[in-house]
Amino acid sequence: DFKKVKLLRKGRLPIVSALSELPKTKHDLSSFTLDVPLISTNLIMFTVTGVFRERDTKDDQTFKFSRCFLIAPQGTGLCIINETYHVGPAAWATATDPTTPDSGAQNTLAAALSSVTRMKVDWAAKCLEENAWNYDKAVEVFLRLKEAGKVPPEAFP
């Protein structure tokens, strides 16, 4: 989708520049939640959610945010390899099943699995969905099916 591509930022300077253009905010720290659905030796995924208000505006609207990070070891430290950031009205409906990641986390997991397996993102998402969004299990199943020659060629670009 063109709008998503237009909003995508890669590299330090474009990311910092885009963040500096965001309105000033006041976050409610008591609303923050941290979810860590995946920790492995090669990948850590976590999501931070909460609410905030824009500062210096007459509008008293409250917003909800969700930031999902994928972190991988690099050298002697860690590197953010992917981040998704979603903002919307605080009245957003929440998932009824707390074990299912939100759409931002699902997109991030699918991108990570796609990167590791070289499958198309939609195929990676399907693999994750069929494995209850368990990344490690999805990788294990993918490797087993690939070794058995059961991953169709159309799963790859």
Side-chain angles (χ1 to χ4, degrees), residues 50-53 61-66 85-93:
V51 298
F52 69 91
R53 292 178 185 212
Q61 190 173 6
T62 302
F63 297 92
K64 181 175 181 177
F65 72 91
S66 174
Y85 180 52
H86 298 274
V87 174
W92 269 356

Side-chain angles (χ1 to χ4, degrees), residues 6-151:
K6 185 179 170 187
L7 294 173
L8 181 64
R9 301 291 186 268
K10 292 182 180 181
R12 292 179 184 173
L13 190 57
I15 291 170
V16 171
S17 176
L19 290 173
S20 70
E21 293 173 12
L22 293 173
K24 303 296 180 216
T25 59
K26 173 71 175 154
H27 288 74
D28 177 2
L29 299 180
S30 68
S31 73
F32 279 30
T33 62
L34 175 66
D35 183 28
V36 186
L38 172 68
I39 297 179
S40 70
T41 56
N42 298 322
L43 193 66
I44 300 169
M45 177 183 167
F46 65 92
T47 303
V48 179
T49 60
V51 298
F52 69 91
R53 292 178 185 212
E54 288 184 11
R55 292 187 341 209
D56 306 326
T57 65
K58 295 176 184 169
D59 193 12
D60 194 29
Q61 190 173 6
T62 302
F63 297 92
K64 181 175 181 177
F65 72 91
S66 174
R67 293 182 79 173
C68 184
F69 297 88
L70 277 178
I71 311 265
Q74 185 176 45
T76 59
L78 298 171
C79 177
I80 298 172
I81 59 171
N82 195 338
E83 179 206 3
T84 54
Y85 180 52
H86 298 274
V87 174
W92 269 356
T94 57
T96 55
D97 180 2
T99 62
T100 302
D102 66 23
S103 65
Q106 289 176 359
N107 292 339
T108 302
L109 279 170
L113 185 61
S114 172
S115 174
V116 168
T117 63
R118 304 290 183 228
M119 283 193 297
K120 295 176 184 173
V121 174
D122 58 328
W123 279 82
K126 181 179 178 186
C127 181
L128 284 159
E129 186 175 3
E130 289 175 359
N131 289 285
W133 294 98
N134 181 320
Y135 181 86
D136 291 332
K137 184 177 176 191
V139 170
E140 180 184 315
V141 168
F142 167 78
L143 291 173
R144 192 171 351 119
L145 291 174
K146 184 177 181 195
E147 188 175 297
K150 294 184 178 179
V151 180

